[in-house]
Amino acid sequence: MQNSQQNAPLLNAVDLKKYYPVKQGMFSKPKEVKAVDGVSFTLERGKTLAIVGESGCGKSTLGRMLTMIERPTEGELFYNGQNFLVNDSETEKLRRKKIQIVFQNPYASLNPRKKVGSILEEPLLINTDLTASQRKAKVLEMMGKVGLKPEFYDRYPHMFSGGQRQRIAIARGLMLDPDIVVADEPVSALDVSVRAQVLNLMMDLQQDFGLSYVFISHDLSVVEHIADEVMVMYLGRCVEQGETKQIFNNPQHPYTQALLSATPRLNSTQRRERIKLTGELPSPLNPPKGCAFHARCHKATERCSQERPTLKSYPDGTKIACFMVE
Ligand SMILES: Nc1ncnc2c1ncn2[C@@H]1O[C@H](COP(=O)(O)OP(=O)(O)O)[C@@H](O)[C@H]1O
Ligand SMILES: [Mg+2]
């Protein structure tokens, strides 16, 4: 690629922001919801970055910006060092192929009037010059890869369980050979009994295709085995980011500690003191002064209610935004 840089990460997000204007009343001035307020990360080929945090903290908004379903209000996005936010047809084409999204709800994301075969064929029809028989061959091959029987080709989505529908949605996401898949709570709507199957499938596919994942989840327990790195978000910002092991074994930010203490773990050797997270996520329409987490924090001091801690990098590679850690 002409503009790409040799050592650039596969995906590089720089200070992404998404502000939504909202009207509250007829006469009041429109305000802004800062859904995502300055998020940065890099993602390497074949790796998984998990984005975790409570509902409403901006995870899906971030996912929509990465896949360009929505343009960021501010910030930059680079793919292989190439500016991904440029509005020309070449870049647009590249975006459509290289980065795909899988949504939480496989009941809503599949067109009920189309058969599985044509759902999977559609991206090829729109974006490639393959012939009908080549498309069908590719669809059947992908169905095999995600564990769907060939006879499902002519069936409708409603004939399938949630887990199988999510396999269809994942297969659709992979039809154009993307490098990056943004998976927005891909197992949250599924029965606990099939979650592990879908997660294992995703890990197998990652190996097979050399995929990178941005894996969004409100539930930390889901990401421990799939993620290389974890970013914890609170009210539109990153509060802690680091290697998965580090985050699970030695969480530093009081919010990460609280989230983790509420997360059941299978093979944990350590007993964790349970930290109760009281109160609710504040509204991004009226973010609190100081650290957004201070009102719910068991370690907060006067300073935390006045001043906002910035995200600082530490020698072990983690990034944390907390005065108590500094
Ligand atoms: N289109 C929109 N217009 C206004 N506010 C929005 C819009 N989309 C999301 N929000 C707000 O942005 C915040 C983050 O939402 P979202 O990204 O869906 O969080 P999450 O996926 O972590 O639950 C929420 O407060 C939500 O209400
Ligand atoms: Mg969401």
Side-chain angles (χ1 to χ4, degrees):
M1 216 158 296
Q2 31 174 234
N3 297 328
S4 64
Q5 289 154 20
Q6 205 79 93
N7 294 318
L10 184 63
L11 192 68
N12 182 13
V14 185
D15 210 16
L16 289 178
K17 297 180 182 172
K18 185 73 197 183
Y19 296 171
Y20 295 109
V22 285
K23 269 199 110 113
Q24 289 190 299
M26 191 104 86
F27 303 107
S28 59
K29 269 198 276 178
K31 287 189 81 170
E32 270 179 335
V33 175
K34 298 183 173 181
V36 173
D37 199 15
V39 167
S40 303
F41 64 82
T42 58
L43 179 65
E44 303 291 345
R45 187 174 290 278
K47 299 288 185 190
T48 298
L49 169 70
I51 311 280
V52 300
E54 287 164 286
S55 176
C57 72
K59 306 180 297 296
S60 294
T61 304
L62 179 61
R64 290 197 299 271
M65 286 194 281
L66 298 178
T67 48
M68 291 297 285
I69 295 172
E70 281 179 344
R71 282 197 81 81
T73 308
E74 254 179 63
E76 293 178 288
L77 193 61
F78 298 94
Y79 168 84
N80 273 325
Q82 181 181 349
N83 185 347
F84 226 21
L85 296 181
V86 185
N87 259 336
D88 57 29
S89 60
E90 273 303 297
T91 313
E92 156 99 55
K93 219 165 126 187
L94 195 66
R95 282 196 302 252
R96 265 215 310 266
K97 280 193 162 176
K98 292 302 172 193
I99 184 156
Q100 293 288 333
I101 191 162
V102 172
F103 294 103
Q104 169 173 4
N105 187 343
Y107 292 87
S109 64
L110 301 174
N111 186 340
R113 282 178 292 274
K114 286 197 166 158
K115 292 178 179 172
V116 172
S118 72
I119 289 172
L120 298 185
E121 189 189 0
E122 197 169 62
L124 299 176
L125 198 60
I126 296 170
N127 297 289
T128 72
D129 301 324
L130 297 180
T131 65
S133 63
Q134 286 169 328
R135 291 195 299 267
K136 182 161 186 181
K138 209 162 177 205
V139 167
L140 287 169
E141 189 193 334
M142 188 59 76
M143 287 175 66
K145 294 250 187 207
V146 301
L148 295 168
K149 293 186 191 140
E151 58 261 38
F152 293 173
Y153 188 91
D154 282 316
R155 296 195 190 160
Y156 290 95
H158 73 256
M159 303 166 111
F160 295 98
S161 65
Q164 278 174 321
R165 284 183 205 218
Q166 204 56 310
R167 286 173 196 266
I168 301 168
I170 290 167
R172 180 180 55 186
L174 298 181
M175 289 310 298
L176 296 173
D177 300 320
D179 287 332
I180 302 157
V181 173
V182 176
D184 189 354
E185 311 253 14
V187 300
S188 302
L190 305 180
D191 284 346
V192 175
S193 59
V194 296
R195 280 186 193 168
Q197 292 169 20
V198 173
L199 287 173
N200 284 334
L201 170 68
M202 287 185 68
M203 289 194 272
D204 290 345
L205 293 168
Q206 178 167 44
Q207 290 285 320
D208 273 11
F209 296 102
L211 297 168
S212 303
Y213 289 142
V214 176
F215 190 101
I216 294 172
S217 175
H218 69 276
D219 181 355
L220 257 170
S221 67
V222 167
V223 309
E224 184 170 7
H225 299 288
I226 199 168
D228 298 288
E229 237 188 288
V230 178
M231 175 189 283
V232 181
M233 282 182 72
Y234 194 79
L235 214 67
R237 294 168 187 266
C238 169
V239 295
E240 180 163 7
Q241 185 182 352
E243 275 184 29
T244 305
K245 262 202 199 114
Q246 176 80 19
I247 296 289
F248 277 86
N249 295 336
N250 193 17
Q252 296 294 309
H253 196 285
Y255 180 58
T256 314
Q257 292 171 348
L259 274 186
L260 213 55
S261 82
T263 303
R265 291 174 76 197
L266 280 180
N267 39 16
S268 176
T269 45
Q270 296 151 278
R271 280 200 160 267
R272 233 178 231 120
E273 179 194 353
R274 200 172 159 99
I275 306 161
K276 232 176 128 193
L277 207 50
T278 52
E280 291 190 355
L281 190 69
S283 159
L285 256 182
N286 286 306
K289 199 177 167 205
C291 173
F293 185 57
H294 81 264
R296 301 169 77 190
C297 182
H298 63 292
K299 288 184 182 163
T301 63
E302 177 60 24
R303 185 182 179 196
C304 306
S305 63
Q306 298 302 318
E307 225 182 294
R308 192 173 64 216
T310 54
L311 193 66
K312 292 208 167 132
S313 298
Y314 290 86
D316 63 357
T318 55
K319 293 179 186 144
I320 305 155
C322 178
F323 294 129
M324 296 302 109
V325 177
E326 283 175 16

